[in-house]
Amino acid sequence: MTAIHMTAAAAAQSLPLRRLSPNLDHWYVVAQSRELGAAPLAATLWHQSIVLYRDRAGHPIAVEDRCPHRQVKLSEGTVAGDNLMCAYHGWQFAPDGTCAHVPYLEPQQKLPTCTLRRYPVKEQDGFIWLFPGQAERAEQVAPMGVPEWAHLNFIGSLATIDVGAHYSFLIENLMDMYHGHLHGGAQVWANPVLADLEADDTRVHAHYDAESYYRIDKIWSASQLLIPALRQLHPEPLDVYYYYPHWMSTLGDDFKIYCLFCPVSETHTRAYLLHFTSLERFPNLHKSPLAVRRFFKRSFTNSASFVLRRLVREDVLMLEQEQQAFEQNPAYRGPELNRTLTAVQQLIRQQAGGGE
């Protein structure tokens, strides 16, 4: 470990958990692919203002959202070929961040040597992934895969989380399977008991013995979401994973859920919550012709979004109250009985400052 990293690690141990920076040497999600069209798109990732756009080939480009001429936001401008053009004076910047054109440049003048910071960026599984740390480390780390996004045997739903709270509050909420009391009948699992816990310097895996309200094995099975009288509890394994800095969970063989993080600041977190239902339990459906499976995927995509949005609203209310309570009394530490959350907090501290 270098002296710089030792200093960062020591600082991380001394700061309150709710003030810690995420490790920036990871891939974070800053947008859905469909959100990035012909116009520049502004994003903020841990205090860094970033502008995204597509070049003529459709590839995503990410640079700092600041025109070096007058410090205005380049996200207010337009795309000119492969370049990003400032709205104020029409200066253009190439994909590598260099100044490519000034409309009123005189013959004896040279283009300014100012260069924008460029960020490593990838488009994968329906999302735009950005690496905000040291660019030379980007290829040493892979974005979290979400293979179900395009797979024809999985029906996906999506909800956006925008919460006025530190990212640690959100990941603790996601790893805490004992807060189901908050969601009532909107939650498909019940009676969790922590059966096993594994943790290292990159992940936390908690296995809960739980019960599920329904199986997805008939076309009408999903109606149990809406009609509580049709539900019947049965045992189902529940596994939650903090693959730093993102989250993933599985409930039996039918459900898989992801949460892809974009920490904005110490008091603001954005994330994308994805829910996937497998078609494997439907007799013969997962082996049906491609056209049939495409029809089902297209027809039922986002069919569970109304449930996700309810869960998000209820969680956001609690998380923002937690943040407000911390701001009022930063020194207070409540008793924590869930060993999973203790492991999560330890991992956050281990990773904090690692990308500085």
Side-chain angles (χ1 to χ4, degrees):
M1 181 180 290
T2 66
I4 293 176
H5 287 152
M6 290 176 65
T7 302
Q13 292 301 318
S14 63
L15 284 172
L17 181 77
R18 314 306 178 182
R19 300 288 191 212
L20 291 178
S21 164
N23 185 341
L24 299 181
D25 283 338
H26 289 274
W27 290 91
Y28 293 84
V29 168
V30 290
Q32 296 180 63
S33 291
R34 66 174 183 81
E35 293 177 299
L36 185 56
L41 179 68
T44 303
L45 178 50
W46 202 253
H47 301 285
Q48 300 181 46
S49 295
I50 299 160
V51 57
L52 306 155
Y53 72 99
R54 293 188 185 275
D55 63 17
R56 283 177 290 188
H59 301 135
I61 307 294
V63 295
E64 60 180 305
D65 194 4
R66 176 191 65 85
C67 179
H69 177 216
R70 292 294 180 89
Q71 309 297 302
V72 300
K73 289 185 175 296
L74 289 169
S75 55
E76 301 287 348
T78 55
V79 178
D82 289 333
N83 298 339
L84 186 60
M85 183 165 62
C86 180
Y88 200 1
H89 291 88
W91 287 31
Q92 294 185 23
F93 296 88
D96 64 359
T98 59
C99 184
H101 177 68
V102 176
Y104 49 87
L105 192 73
E106 296 183 10
Q108 74 277 12
Q109 293 179 319
K110 294 182 179 180
L111 285 171
T113 57
C114 49
T115 301
L116 303 171
R117 177 183 176 182
R118 182 176 181 180
Y119 293 86
V121 63
K122 293 183 179 181
E123 187 165 16
Q124 176 181 305
D125 299 326
F127 291 90
I128 306 296
W129 301 76
L130 186 137
F131 194 90
Q134 299 185 46
E136 62 272 17
R137 298 181 182 177
E139 294 306 315
Q140 301 172 16
V141 184
M144 173 181 264
V146 187
E148 297 83 3
W149 181 265
H151 200 295
L152 290 180
N153 285 346
F154 288 89
I155 305 299
S157 298
L158 181 146
T160 301
I161 301 173
D162 197 307
V163 57
H166 189 264
Y167 68 92
S168 62
F169 284 120
L170 177 56
I171 190 62
E172 288 178 23
N173 168 274
L174 292 165
M175 293 294 290
D176 178 14
M177 296 297 100
Y178 295 132
H179 82 278
H181 176 76
L182 173 66
H183 301 305
Q187 193 154 265
V188 299
W189 46 261
N191 305 321
V193 176
L194 181 62
D196 192 28
L197 179 65
E198 299 176 358
D200 56 32
D201 60 356
T202 62
R203 69 171 190 137
V204 174
H205 171 204
H207 171 73
Y208 293 83
D209 292 330
E211 294 179 305
S212 176
Y213 283 127
Y214 65 97
R215 284 188 173 91
I216 296 294
D217 54 4
K218 301 288 190 303
I219 294 296
W220 51 263
S221 295
S223 64
Q224 296 169 92
L225 277 172
L226 304 174
I227 308 174
L230 297 178
R231 298 171 182 168
Q232 293 182 343
L233 287 171
H234 62 276
E236 200 84 88
L238 175 61
D239 289 89
V240 290
Y241 303 83
Y242 185 18
Y243 289 116
Y244 192 94
H246 306 292
W247 176 84
M248 189 263 285
S249 175
T250 60
L251 177 62
D253 298 322
D254 289 333
F255 301 102
K256 196 166 186 179
I257 310 176
Y258 294 86
C259 191
L260 308 177
F261 276 67
C262 179
V264 177
S265 70
E266 289 84 355
T267 58
H268 185 191
T269 303
R270 283 180 52 82
Y272 291 94
L273 187 65
L274 297 92
H275 171 284
F276 293 99
T277 300
S278 171
L279 297 182
E280 296 290 335
R281 291 286 187 94
F282 290 96
N284 300 320
L285 183 56
H286 68 283
K287 297 179 181 179
S288 60
L290 291 179
V292 174
R293 284 185 285 162
R294 288 194 184 101
F295 170 79
F296 270 89
K297 189 174 183 74
R298 184 172 60 252
S299 300
F300 292 98
T301 290
N302 284 324
S303 56
S305 290
F306 73 100
V307 178
L308 294 182
R309 289 192 295 269
R310 170 183 164 175
L311 299 176
V312 168
R313 285 195 303 270
E314 293 169 346
D315 282 335
V316 164
L317 179 64
M318 296 295 102
L319 298 178
E320 292 186 345
Q321 289 183 19
E322 287 188 281
Q323 180 68 45
Q324 292 161 10
F326 168 76
E327 298 293 342
Q328 293 169 4
N329 189 357
Y332 178 76
R333 295 183 63 183
E336 183 51 70
L337 304 180
N338 187 347
R339 293 182 291 121
T340 301
L341 302 197
T342 303
V344 166
Q345 293 174 356
Q346 183 176 355
L347 176 54
I348 289 172
R349 286 202 176 276
Q350 288 174 331
Q351 288 281 345
E356 296 180 355

